[in-house]
Amino acid sequence: MATSYEFPSDLLAGQEELHQVRAELSALLKRLPWSVEPLDGFSDAGGWRKLERPASPGWTEDEQAEVEKLRRREHELAVFVSTHRFWSEIAAADRVEARSLLKHAHERET
């Protein structure tokens, strides 16, 4: 049975923002062309599965800046969450379980 942890509010907020930033970054990357730089399309039917890509116009400077901003924020939040002082209060053997519970804490709130 899972233990219940009293996560600090700043840790919960950091984890929630990390979820949001990752979702936003994922959605953005799905909308953008497959290549950052402009490239011709290609088709490769000789491999174990057919692979096709249309020509890519590349990303605009604004799109590149937005991806970079989100990646930087994702990194900052990941470092904040993973190095939070709370983890030093948890026995080493219990940290994996506690970390998993933190990742899913937003699901229990709804």
Side-chain angles (χ1 to χ4, degrees):
M1 185 167 150
T3 306
S4 178
Y5 297 96
E6 292 291 327
F7 296 113
S9 61
D10 64 332
L11 181 57
L12 286 167
Q15 180 64 54
E16 181 60 29
E17 186 179 352
L18 182 57
H19 283 306
Q20 292 170 355
V21 167
R22 285 181 172 161
E24 189 176 338
L25 178 59
S26 177
L28 176 60
L29 291 172
K30 286 178 183 174
R31 286 193 313 270
L32 293 175
W34 63 271
S35 175
V36 177
E37 299 295 326
L39 287 176
D40 293 334
F42 64 89
S43 178
D44 179 14
W48 62 276
R49 67 179 175 142
K50 186 174 181 177
L51 180 62
E52 290 184 326
R53 294 269 194 251
S56 172
W59 297 358
T60 66
E61 287 185 19
D62 289 342
E63 291 167 337
Q64 290 179 39
E66 182 66 15
V67 168
E68 179 60 29
K69 181 183 92 168
L70 289 170
R71 285 183 174 157
R72 190 176 306 115
R73 185 62 182 150
E74 177 187 29
H75 181 261
E76 291 169 358
L77 289 165
V79 169
F80 171 77
V81 168
S82 63
T83 62
H84 194 279
R85 67 187 177 281
F86 173 77
W87 302 118
S88 64
E89 301 169 10
I90 304 297
D94 298 331
R95 287 183 193 151
V96 171
E97 177 189 30
R99 179 73 181 108
S100 181
L101 289 172
L102 175 65
K103 286 180 181 182
H104 298 281
H106 67 288
E107 295 168 2
R108 289 192 308 271
E109 293 174 1
T110 57

